[in-house]
């Protein structure tokens, strides 16, 4: 049984709600590590002044100090720390590694029992931490031992949530094995363990590989904790990987060493003449002031600074996920160290796992931030769908025009768009050539084609990406003749290289291209229906939908399609955010009649039917069947168990997640019977 | 007479000290725009709570409201605002444009006189603000009119500092003409005017072009004010352009509209669920809290947030300049909007003006942040110098080995470096092939070759940059035979393309390359002297310095050269920061004997001689002659007016700046007679 639900997603990142006995928590979330005896800033102040919602403390330290132990056993760990918020406890794994303690120092089951006794909200198993230097054989042995302990520990967890740590070092196959086996056990949180030494050595690419290897196999409905990642420079990228929980001991350790944390890296306070930060500490003192203080006062302020910066970065990450801007935030952070930039590329090279997790459509535009944007999963997915689904039997004339950067495309090429509207797809296809690939005119308003902002000067990687995607498009479509309109833009440079794929006639003047298009009119075309057919194909892979008698209504202000009605009933409306269509209930019936793929049908348990029929959302726990190819963000049909339409709505989760989650909304119902 | 001196530099950016009647100011500096009557946050609080040091207010508004005017005339503008810090006044130029006031509304000389009467620290001329839409002819006419007014105004300034605004819109030739003419007049501050509408439309590339066109001709010893640039997302890039003063009215205007400023862009507060900032406001309230407040309270907090963020970004810019990290900060900021990224590329394409301003050597490493790093001025300059100055008559064997990323290079190729140490340059040259070009083994410790950190995966632009620089190197050097050591790194991919420039033998094994090197030993070589000769050539363009009897002492811990002595006197020490040599006074004499170029001799007025001879720094105001090719950061000889050596030291300024400045240090004296 999961205690976690998802509210928003981007790549593998998610805004979640984690339910505990001491309250609900919004994730991603950062837990300060609290020493049970000597917390320099009181837990109460950490909650009230800094806004922390949860802590992590060490059950092994509590257990091995009599005065902590006694109080914890009497008043619980909450009494010991003097707060009433959720508390996670660690088991001593890191202490065993760090202090090289003998094996008999901590008993794996005893420490679970102790964590239960002191009322921990989330206990942790005693796993084995492998030093990155020991070599694969030893790491494998440690990982197996951790697994054995996990198996005996999970049965003992009782009412306490238990965190089962994935190990396997820098070896993806071991991480995969560990995650696959751990996933079979009913843990409530899955930490990724053993990353502290990698963090310290800036080995971010290794952390990315290890985390993704684990994520592939972990159940999506459990929060993932990147154990020991407390530096704000990595929060954005770690959240992108699907990490939900973070803990920071660094805020205090760094302060002791005179180190000043920023979300761009670490400074030695001594090296600073100015305080490059807006936090309350840095806004009210100076570098000189801090450096001339007594060590103790300086340490206290430095610790506060480190905390303000860390928690603000978590807020920034959350806001970015809600805006679909986390990838851009991670790209900005990647400028803090070349190893972060490299890690971001390693992450983006895992297209399949990212694509599966990424929702269709986001709230914001996509900004070009550097060559990493050429790998943006939404841009790649758009192009793959265009190549797979924008297919006509054949076309006489393919017109390629370079993207001039302005949006909508109509502003760049009003005459050409007006001309192509008079033609049928069999006669003329107009396609914009962009650095992220081909945008067929019919799909110009679809996300992210319209929301993508590139600089007007492009680097070679961006141009090459455009070239390879356009080449693939040319190979996917049959045409009699192709023309290219020359414009003074970087994308114009790919023209020559395309000649390997097709013979393309060059035209210098827009008016010549317009004439070429007009020369291909065979019979009067209905451009609105043509556009809608292309959308049906792109969105639901539906061919030749019958829209006889449909009325297509345009927006008076933008000229874009607003809705489609039949017999005076609206059947589809265009969602401005995604450029896709949302059916009404009647539209849903039409889709069914046209045999829409099961990918877009979510089958509900009959218990849920009355709720959906009242217009309430379709909850995950009632989803009986959902297709693994269904992505979050798609417009779907909600069906009862006998495949009868009960509603239509937008998927909040992908197919696999709908089946995995026992909490939260699977489909936000737009219309029901 | 200038009131400005420079303390640190990076690209065109500088840390300066601006001296006024109300105190010295450190630049870059941000002045909040204060309305004389209704400052929502009191000027005193802006100083004490936020740390602002100077304000700007509007003399036209004061003059046109009787109660402000009366008080200002009686108590001065400082009395009116109730503070004792420097105050700049604007003249009404923007109001004339914005409210389309008739020409007779403000008299250009009257407003100068008024600013003097109210005791402004820095007054501003009444120039003509051109809307970007009016077309070049009108902009030219406006610019000429501004020039006429500047000429009549400057004579009237009296004791008040006067700001003479450069106009010319988006037209570089007009900006150049305006700056050239304005530079002839003795203004104390040079604002760049007319950029507000460009800022509002995110036309950063146009601002870069206009500012650089002006900077080319403005005297380096006067602060430049980017008038109307108050958004923290542009501060880093504007400072890179050489802007020293900023003003912000935006903090209040944005707050009125519910807009939340960040150094990465602007949010509408309503769209926020989380406050993505660490400032005192955002650390102590929530998005929900702010949004549910009364408008007035929300506006007040939003204004405070905007101020905290703006002043912190200024501190961040200052610290970055001191660390030589401003270009990287601007690169990170450029991820906030593609137009900023484009503008950064436009900036970097102005290599000559940037190179002239850039000091040799910086305190920090250079991080690869994206394709803009391929244009990094320090990396380009290093390669240009290598190609110009690393020349041997000929070499038998050129060994090219790809950079493996580790530093020092010795760690990657200990055997090859040990082997090449046994050879003479005529026999074997060993060169590392990096994404920023060639690093000859002898120069491996020179900045920035050793301090440059690239990710291990490289984008095509970085590889192509490496290719074109290596090609140029191959064309600059004569060799009998070249070998290439194959390694599995991205730089290995350029090997094939190099075959157009030379026939290169491929070797797969390091041991084969080592054998090839060892086969070329003709006579016993002294590698320390070889390395030192290469440094003399690279650093001062000196050939064949006679070092008979010199003893070269290595560091025991790093194995690097520490110093050179002759007859038990140290003559040169190696500066770890730059990898270059600093002469002692005796070393300076040796350089003179070897006919060091006049580029590296700074001629002082005789008044300064006694001071320099006592070891004091050589001040700008006493510099009689300095070469325009001299760069800040170079190790130079300090000479009296009869070309006698009086000291040696490191240049703080470049040659032109030494002549222009009447304040501050020209050369930090290391040793004197």
């Amino acid at each position: 049984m999961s205690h976690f639900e998802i509210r928003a997603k981007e790549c593998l990142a998610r805004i979640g709600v984690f339910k505990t006995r001491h309250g609900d928590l919004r994730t991603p979330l950062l837990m300060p590590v609290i020493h049970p005896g000597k917390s320099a800033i009181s837990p109460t102040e950490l909650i009230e002044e800094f806004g922390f919602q949860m802590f992590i403390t060490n059950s092994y330290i509590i257990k091995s100090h009599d005065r902590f132990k006694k109080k914890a056993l009497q008043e619980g760990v909450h009494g010991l720390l003097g707060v009433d918020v959720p508390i996670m406890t660690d088991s001593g794994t890191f202490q065993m590694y760090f202090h090289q303690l003998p094996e008999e120092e901590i008993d794996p089951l005893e420490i679970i029992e102790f964590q239960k006794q002191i009322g921990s909200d989330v206990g942790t198993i005693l796993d084995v931490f492998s030093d990155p230097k020991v070599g694969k054989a030893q790491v494998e042995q440690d990982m197996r031992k951790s697994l054995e302990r996990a198996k005996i520990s999970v049965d003992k967890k009782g009412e306490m949530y238990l965190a089962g740590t994935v190990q396997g070092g820098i070896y993806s196959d071991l991480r995969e094995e560990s995650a696959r086996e751990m996933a079979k056990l009913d843990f409530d949180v899955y930490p990724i363990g053993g990353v502290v030494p990698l963090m310290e050595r800036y080995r971010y690419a290794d952390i990315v590989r290890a985390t993704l290897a684990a994520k592939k196999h972990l159940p999506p409905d459990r929060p993932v904790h990147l154990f020991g990642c407390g530096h704000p420079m990595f929060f954005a990228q770690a959240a992108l990987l699907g990490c939900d929980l973070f803990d920071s001991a660094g805020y205090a350790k760094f302060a002791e060493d005179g180190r000043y944390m920023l979300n761009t890296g670490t400074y030695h306070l001594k090296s600073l003449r100015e305080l490059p930060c807006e936090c309350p500490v840095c806004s009210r003192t100076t570098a000189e002031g801090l450096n001339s203080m007594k060590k103790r006062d300086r340490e206290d302020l430095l610790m506060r600074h480190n905390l303000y910066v860390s928690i603000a970065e978590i807020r920034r990450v959350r806001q970015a996920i809600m805006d679909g801007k986390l990838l851009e935030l991670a790209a900005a952070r990647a400028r803090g160290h070349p190893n972060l930039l490299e890690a971001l590329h390693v992450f983006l090279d895992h297209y399949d796992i990212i694509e599966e997790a990424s929702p269709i459509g986001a709230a914001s535009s996509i900004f070009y931030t550097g060559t990493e944007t050429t790998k943006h999963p939404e841009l790649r997915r758009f192009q793959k769908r265009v190549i797979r689904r924008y297919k006509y039997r054949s076309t006489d004339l393919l017109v390629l025009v370079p993207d001039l950067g302005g949006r909508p495309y109509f502003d760049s090429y009003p005459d050409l768009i007006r001309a192509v509207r008079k033609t049928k797809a069999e006669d003329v296809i107009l396609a914009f050539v962009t650095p992220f690939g081909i945008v067929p005119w019919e799909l110009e308003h679809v996300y992210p084609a319209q929301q993508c902002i590139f600089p007007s000067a492009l680097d070679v990687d961006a141009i090459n990406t455009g070239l390879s995607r356009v080449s693939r498009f040319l190979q996917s479509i049959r045409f009699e003749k192709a023309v290219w309109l020359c414009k003074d833009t970087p994308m114009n440079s790919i023209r020559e290289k395309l000649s390997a794929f097709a013979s393309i006639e060059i035209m210098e003047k827009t008016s010549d291209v317009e004439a070429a298009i007009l020369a291909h009119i065979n019979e009067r075309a209905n451009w609105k229906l043509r556009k809608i057919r292309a959308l049906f194909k792109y969105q639901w892979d539906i061919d030749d939908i019958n829209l006889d008698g449909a009325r297509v209504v345009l927006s008076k202000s933008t000229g874009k399609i607003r809705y489609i009605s039949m017999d005076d009933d609206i059947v589809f409306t265009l969602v401005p955010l995604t450029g896709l269509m949302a059916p009404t209930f009647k539209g849903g019936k039409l889709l069914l009649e046209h045999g829409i793929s099961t990918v877009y049908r979510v089958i509900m348990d009959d218990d849920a039917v009355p709720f959906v029929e009242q217009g309430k959302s379709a909850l995950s726990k009632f989803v009986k069947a959902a297709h693994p190819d269904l992505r979050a963000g798609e417009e779907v049909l909600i069906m009862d168990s006998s495949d009868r339409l009960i509603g239509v709505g937008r998927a909040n989760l992908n197919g696999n997640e709908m089946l995995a989650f026992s909490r939260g909304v699977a489909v936000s119902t737009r219309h029901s019977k």
Side-chain angles (χ1 to χ4, degrees), chain A residues 58 60 90-108 111 126-130 145 149:
Chain A
N58 196 303
Y60 163 70
D90 194 0
S91 57
T93 298
F94 191 73
Q95 283 67 28
M96 293 282 282
Y97 153 74
F98 194 74
H99 300 295
Q100 300 276 310
L101 302 178
E103 173 123 11
E104 57 277 15
E105 175 71 22
I106 314 179
D107 177 82
I111 197 75
L126 183 78
D127 56 335
V128 184
F129 190 108
S130 311
K145 194 168 186 178
R149 291 190 184 167

mmCIF file of all heavy atoms in Angstrom, chain A residues 58 60 90-108 111 126-130 145 149:
data_model
loop_
_atom_site.group_PDB
_atom_site.id
_atom_site.type_symbol
_atom_site.label_atom_id
_atom_site.label_comp_id
_atom_site.label_asym_id
_atom_site.label_seq_id
_atom_site.Cartn_x
_atom_site.Cartn_y
_atom_site.Cartn_z
ATOM 1 N N ASN A 58 19.454 10.003 13.542
ATOM 2 C CA ASN A 58 20.120 8.717 13.450
ATOM 3 C C ASN A 58 19.768 7.820 14.629
ATOM 4 O O ASN A 58 20.140 8.092 15.771
ATOM 5 C CB ASN A 58 21.630 8.963 13.389
ATOM 6 C CG ASN A 58 22.350 7.726 12.918
ATOM 7 O OD1 ASN A 58 22.209 6.675 13.530
ATOM 8 N ND2 ASN A 58 23.063 7.850 11.827
ATOM 9 N N TYR A 60 20.851 4.899 15.326
ATOM 10 C CA TYR A 60 22.028 4.236 15.903
ATOM 11 C C TYR A 60 22.685 5.129 16.948
ATOM 12 O O TYR A 60 23.077 4.662 18.027
ATOM 13 C CB TYR A 60 23.011 3.867 14.781
ATOM 14 C CG TYR A 60 24.402 3.568 15.271
ATOM 15 C CD1 TYR A 60 24.669 2.418 16.008
ATOM 16 C CD2 TYR A 60 25.452 4.446 14.994
ATOM 17 C CE1 TYR A 60 25.946 2.157 16.477
ATOM 18 C CE2 TYR A 60 26.728 4.196 15.455
ATOM 19 C CZ TYR A 60 26.972 3.052 16.200
ATOM 20 O OH TYR A 60 28.241 2.798 16.653
ATOM 21 N N ASP A 90 17.685 7.117 10.355
ATOM 22 C CA ASP A 90 18.674 6.311 9.661
ATOM 23 C C ASP A 90 19.131 5.221 10.623
ATOM 24 O O ASP A 90 18.886 5.299 11.825
ATOM 25 C CB ASP A 90 19.838 7.228 9.239
ATOM 26 C CG ASP A 90 20.740 6.560 8.225
ATOM 27 O OD1 ASP A 90 20.461 5.403 7.848
ATOM 28 O OD2 ASP A 90 21.725 7.198 7.811
ATOM 29 N N SER A 91 19.815 4.221 10.074
ATOM 30 C CA SER A 91 20.069 3.006 10.848
ATOM 31 C C SER A 91 21.500 2.840 11.320
ATOM 32 O O SER A 91 21.800 1.925 12.063
ATOM 33 C CB SER A 91 19.727 1.812 9.969
ATOM 34 O OG SER A 91 20.521 1.901 8.786
ATOM 35 N N GLY A 92 22.397 3.705 10.858
ATOM 36 C CA GLY A 92 23.803 3.542 11.215
ATOM 37 C C GLY A 92 24.652 2.985 10.088
ATOM 38 O O GLY A 92 25.851 2.761 10.254
ATOM 39 N N THR A 93 24.044 2.767 8.932
ATOM 40 C CA THR A 93 24.782 2.240 7.775
ATOM 41 C C THR A 93 26.022 3.079 7.471
ATOM 42 O O THR A 93 27.120 2.550 7.315
ATOM 43 C CB THR A 93 23.870 2.248 6.527
ATOM 44 O OG1 THR A 93 22.768 1.386 6.769
ATOM 45 C CG2 THR A 93 24.635 1.792 5.293
ATOM 46 N N PHE A 94 25.814 4.397 7.405
ATOM 47 C CA PHE A 94 26.923 5.265 7.013
ATOM 48 C C PHE A 94 27.996 5.275 8.106
ATOM 49 O O PHE A 94 29.190 5.289 7.802
ATOM 50 C CB PHE A 94 26.411 6.680 6.742
ATOM 51 C CG PHE A 94 27.444 7.561 6.089
ATOM 52 C CD1 PHE A 94 27.789 7.378 4.755
ATOM 53 C CD2 PHE A 94 28.093 8.554 6.812
ATOM 54 C CE1 PHE A 94 28.755 8.178 4.146
ATOM 55 C CE2 PHE A 94 29.060 9.359 6.208
ATOM 56 C CZ PHE A 94 29.394 9.170 4.878
ATOM 57 N N GLN A 95 27.577 5.221 9.389
ATOM 58 C CA GLN A 95 28.542 5.212 10.487
ATOM 59 C C GLN A 95 29.390 3.938 10.446
ATOM 60 O O GLN A 95 30.597 3.983 10.687
ATOM 61 C CB GLN A 95 27.819 5.319 11.836
ATOM 62 C CG GLN A 95 27.321 6.732 12.185
ATOM 63 C CD GLN A 95 26.206 7.214 11.267
ATOM 64 O OE1 GLN A 95 25.448 6.418 10.717
ATOM 65 N NE2 GLN A 95 26.110 8.512 11.078
ATOM 66 N N MET A 96 28.751 2.825 10.110
ATOM 67 C CA MET A 96 29.472 1.556 9.984
ATOM 68 C C MET A 96 30.582 1.694 8.948
ATOM 69 O O MET A 96 31.711 1.257 9.145
ATOM 70 C CB MET A 96 28.517 0.432 9.549
ATOM 71 C CG MET A 96 27.478 0.049 10.573
ATOM 72 S SD MET A 96 28.144 -0.991 11.896
ATOM 73 C CE MET A 96 28.208 -2.595 11.059
ATOM 74 N N TYR A 97 30.231 2.329 7.824
ATOM 75 C CA TYR A 97 31.197 2.510 6.737
ATOM 76 C C TYR A 97 32.261 3.531 7.112
ATOM 77 O O TYR A 97 33.463 3.293 6.996
ATOM 78 C CB TYR A 97 30.442 2.943 5.475
ATOM 79 C CG TYR A 97 31.232 3.759 4.482
ATOM 80 C CD1 TYR A 97 32.203 3.160 3.665
ATOM 81 C CD2 TYR A 97 31.002 5.130 4.346
ATOM 82 C CE1 TYR A 97 32.921 3.921 2.758
ATOM 83 C CE2 TYR A 97 31.716 5.884 3.442
ATOM 84 C CZ TYR A 97 32.676 5.278 2.645
ATOM 85 O OH TYR A 97 33.388 6.025 1.750
ATOM 86 N N PHE A 98 31.783 4.661 7.623
ATOM 87 C CA PHE A 98 32.676 5.794 7.816
ATOM 88 C C PHE A 98 33.675 5.525 8.948
ATOM 89 O O PHE A 98 34.850 5.850 8.830
ATOM 90 C CB PHE A 98 31.844 7.042 8.130
ATOM 91 C CG PHE A 98 32.619 8.316 8.028
ATOM 92 C CD1 PHE A 98 32.964 8.823 6.776
ATOM 93 C CD2 PHE A 98 33.024 8.997 9.158
ATOM 94 C CE1 PHE A 98 33.690 10.003 6.670
ATOM 95 C CE2 PHE A 98 33.752 10.176 9.052
ATOM 96 C CZ PHE A 98 34.086 10.682 7.810
ATOM 97 N N HIS A 99 33.191 4.897 10.026
ATOM 98 C CA HIS A 99 34.082 4.635 11.163
ATOM 99 C C HIS A 99 34.618 3.212 11.133
ATOM 100 O O HIS A 99 35.245 2.784 12.099
ATOM 101 C CB HIS A 99 33.339 4.891 12.480
ATOM 102 C CG HIS A 99 32.846 6.290 12.621
ATOM 103 N ND1 HIS A 99 33.684 7.367 12.718
ATOM 104 C CD2 HIS A 99 31.588 6.799 12.645
ATOM 105 C CE1 HIS A 99 32.967 8.488 12.813
ATOM 106 N NE2 HIS A 99 31.692 8.163 12.747
ATOM 107 N N GLN A 100 34.313 2.475 10.058
ATOM 108 C CA GLN A 100 34.816 1.103 9.919
ATOM 109 C C GLN A 100 34.495 0.262 11.154
ATOM 110 O O GLN A 100 35.362 -0.410 11.711
ATOM 111 C CB GLN A 100 36.348 1.144 9.698
ATOM 112 C CG GLN A 100 36.764 1.907 8.447
ATOM 113 C CD GLN A 100 36.704 1.025 7.212
ATOM 114 O OE1 GLN A 100 37.233 -0.085 7.211
ATOM 115 N NE2 GLN A 100 36.042 1.486 6.162
ATOM 116 N N LEU A 101 33.232 0.328 11.571
ATOM 117 C CA LEU A 101 32.843 -0.403 12.780
ATOM 118 C C LEU A 101 32.752 -1.900 12.485
ATOM 119 O O LEU A 101 32.497 -2.303 11.347
ATOM 120 C CB LEU A 101 31.480 0.115 13.289
ATOM 121 C CG LEU A 101 31.441 1.610 13.615
ATOM 122 C CD1 LEU A 101 30.034 2.017 14.053
ATOM 123 C CD2 LEU A 101 32.453 1.958 14.706
ATOM 124 N N PRO A 102 32.948 -2.723 13.515
ATOM 125 C CA PRO A 102 32.844 -4.173 13.304
ATOM 126 C C PRO A 102 31.393 -4.572 13.038
ATOM 127 O O PRO A 102 30.460 -3.927 13.517
ATOM 128 C CB PRO A 102 33.331 -4.754 14.626
ATOM 129 C CG PRO A 102 33.097 -3.671 15.628
ATOM 130 C CD PRO A 102 33.278 -2.378 14.898
ATOM 131 N N GLU A 103 31.248 -5.637 12.312
ATOM 132 C CA GLU A 103 29.932 -6.106 11.876
ATOM 133 C C GLU A 103 28.940 -6.260 13.032
ATOM 134 O O GLU A 103 27.756 -5.967 12.897
ATOM 135 C CB GLU A 103 30.117 -7.440 11.143
ATOM 136 C CG GLU A 103 28.824 -8.120 10.793
ATOM 137 C CD GLU A 103 28.689 -8.397 9.318
ATOM 138 O OE1 GLU A 103 29.675 -8.246 8.578
ATOM 139 O OE2 GLU A 103 27.574 -8.756 8.907
ATOM 140 N N GLU A 104 29.455 -6.715 14.173
ATOM 141 C CA GLU A 104 28.535 -7.002 15.286
ATOM 142 C C GLU A 104 28.063 -5.729 16.001
ATOM 143 O O GLU A 104 27.226 -5.782 16.899
ATOM 144 C CB GLU A 104 29.185 -7.975 16.288
ATOM 145 C CG GLU A 104 30.507 -7.521 16.890
ATOM 146 C CD GLU A 104 31.716 -7.800 15.990
ATOM 147 O OE1 GLU A 104 31.508 -8.092 14.786
ATOM 148 O OE2 GLU A 104 32.863 -7.675 16.460
ATOM 149 N N GLU A 105 28.570 -4.585 15.608
ATOM 150 C CA GLU A 105 28.202 -3.337 16.264
ATOM 151 C C GLU A 105 26.686 -3.079 16.210
ATOM 152 O O GLU A 105 26.090 -2.625 17.170
ATOM 153 C CB GLU A 105 28.964 -2.162 15.626
ATOM 154 C CG GLU A 105 28.592 -0.782 16.127
ATOM 155 C CD GLU A 105 29.052 -0.484 17.547
ATOM 156 O OE1 GLU A 105 30.007 -1.148 18.013
ATOM 157 O OE2 GLU A 105 28.439 0.396 18.203
ATOM 158 N N ILE A 106 26.098 -3.342 15.055
ATOM 159 C CA ILE A 106 24.649 -3.116 14.940
ATOM 160 C C ILE A 106 23.989 -4.371 14.389
ATOM 161 O O ILE A 106 24.436 -4.920 13.370
ATOM 162 C CB ILE A 106 24.321 -1.937 13.981
ATOM 163 C CG1 ILE A 106 25.203 -0.715 14.273
ATOM 164 C CG2 ILE A 106 22.841 -1.565 14.084
ATOM 165 C CD1 ILE A 106 24.947 0.470 13.367
ATOM 166 N N ASP A 107 22.912 -4.774 15.036
ATOM 167 C CA ASP A 107 22.144 -5.914 14.533
ATOM 168 C C ASP A 107 21.009 -5.391 13.653
ATOM 169 O O ASP A 107 20.239 -4.517 14.077
ATOM 170 C CB ASP A 107 21.564 -6.716 15.704
ATOM 171 C CG ASP A 107 20.702 -7.855 15.195
ATOM 172 O OD1 ASP A 107 21.288 -8.903 14.842
ATOM 173 O OD2 ASP A 107 19.464 -7.676 15.101
ATOM 174 N N PRO A 108 20.903 -5.927 12.450
ATOM 175 C CA PRO A 108 19.935 -5.381 11.485
ATOM 176 C C PRO A 108 18.487 -5.413 11.988
ATOM 177 O O PRO A 108 17.736 -4.461 11.741
ATOM 178 C CB PRO A 108 20.079 -6.294 10.265
ATOM 179 C CG PRO A 108 21.370 -7.011 10.427
ATOM 180 C CD PRO A 108 21.722 -7.006 11.873
ATOM 181 N N ILE A 111 17.902 -3.000 15.167
ATOM 182 C CA ILE A 111 17.821 -1.555 14.875
ATOM 183 C C ILE A 111 16.462 -1.214 14.262
ATOM 184 O O ILE A 111 15.922 -0.129 14.488
ATOM 185 C CB ILE A 111 19.022 -1.064 14.021
ATOM 186 C CG1 ILE A 111 19.160 0.467 14.063
ATOM 187 C CG2 ILE A 111 18.923 -1.509 12.568
ATOM 188 C CD1 ILE A 111 19.723 0.998 15.342
ATOM 189 N N LEU A 126 19.250 -1.570 7.834
ATOM 190 C CA LEU A 126 20.709 -1.496 7.954
ATOM 191 C C LEU A 126 21.309 -2.202 6.738
ATOM 192 O O LEU A 126 21.378 -3.434 6.696
ATOM 193 C CB LEU A 126 21.184 -2.179 9.235
ATOM 194 C CG LEU A 126 22.703 -2.078 9.454
ATOM 195 C CD1 LEU A 126 23.072 -0.698 9.986
ATOM 196 C CD2 LEU A 126 23.183 -3.158 10.436
ATOM 197 N N ASP A 127 21.655 -1.431 5.741
ATOM 198 C CA ASP A 127 22.245 -2.031 4.561
ATOM 199 C C ASP A 127 23.766 -1.873 4.626
ATOM 200 O O ASP A 127 24.304 -1.407 5.629
ATOM 201 C CB ASP A 127 21.673 -1.397 3.283
ATOM 202 C CG ASP A 127 21.852 0.094 3.264
ATOM 203 O OD1 ASP A 127 21.959 0.702 4.348
ATOM 204 O OD2 ASP A 127 21.899 0.683 2.172
ATOM 205 N N VAL A 128 24.453 -2.276 3.573
ATOM 206 C CA VAL A 128 25.914 -2.207 3.562
ATOM 207 C C VAL A 128 26.347 -1.180 2.531
ATOM 208 O O VAL A 128 25.966 -1.244 1.362
ATOM 209 C CB VAL A 128 26.542 -3.575 3.233
ATOM 210 C CG1 VAL A 128 28.070 -3.480 3.323
ATOM 211 C CG2 VAL A 128 26.003 -4.634 4.164
ATOM 212 N N PHE A 129 27.109 -0.222 3.002
ATOM 213 C CA PHE A 129 27.558 0.896 2.175
ATOM 214 C C PHE A 129 28.887 0.500 1.547
ATOM 215 O O PHE A 129 29.838 0.167 2.256
ATOM 216 C CB PHE A 129 27.741 2.097 3.103
ATOM 217 C CG PHE A 129 27.965 3.410 2.407
ATOM 218 C CD1 PHE A 129 26.966 4.372 2.390
ATOM 219 C CD2 PHE A 129 29.170 3.684 1.785
ATOM 220 C CE1 PHE A 129 27.175 5.588 1.768
ATOM 221 C CE2 PHE A 129 29.371 4.895 1.155
ATOM 222 C CZ PHE A 129 28.373 5.852 1.150
ATOM 223 N N SER A 130 28.967 0.527 0.228
ATOM 224 C CA SER A 130 30.233 0.165 -0.426
ATOM 225 C C SER A 130 31.014 1.418 -0.784
ATOM 226 O O SER A 130 30.482 2.336 -1.392
ATOM 227 C CB SER A 130 29.974 -0.605 -1.730
ATOM 228 O OG SER A 130 29.056 -1.633 -1.532
ATOM 229 N N LYS A 145 24.244 -8.763 0.333
ATOM 230 C CA LYS A 145 24.037 -8.782 1.777
ATOM 231 C C LYS A 145 22.936 -7.790 2.173
ATOM 232 O O LYS A 145 22.080 -8.092 3.023
ATOM 233 C CB LYS A 145 25.343 -8.399 2.457
ATOM 234 C CG LYS A 145 25.376 -8.687 3.932
ATOM 235 C CD LYS A 145 26.815 -8.544 4.387
ATOM 236 C CE LYS A 145 27.049 -8.942 5.815
ATOM 237 N NZ LYS A 145 28.496 -8.783 6.097
ATOM 238 N N ARG A 149 19.357 -8.640 4.093
ATOM 239 C CA ARG A 149 18.870 -7.921 5.270
ATOM 240 C C ARG A 149 17.515 -7.260 4.995
ATOM 241 O O ARG A 149 16.646 -7.206 5.861
ATOM 242 C CB ARG A 149 19.867 -6.857 5.675
ATOM 243 C CG ARG A 149 21.154 -7.452 6.238
ATOM 244 C CD ARG A 149 21.970 -6.337 6.825
ATOM 245 N NE ARG A 149 23.256 -6.783 7.292
ATOM 246 C CZ ARG A 149 24.240 -5.942 7.605
ATOM 247 N NH1 ARG A 149 24.071 -4.639 7.479
ATOM 248 N NH2 ARG A 149 25.389 -6.407 8.042
#
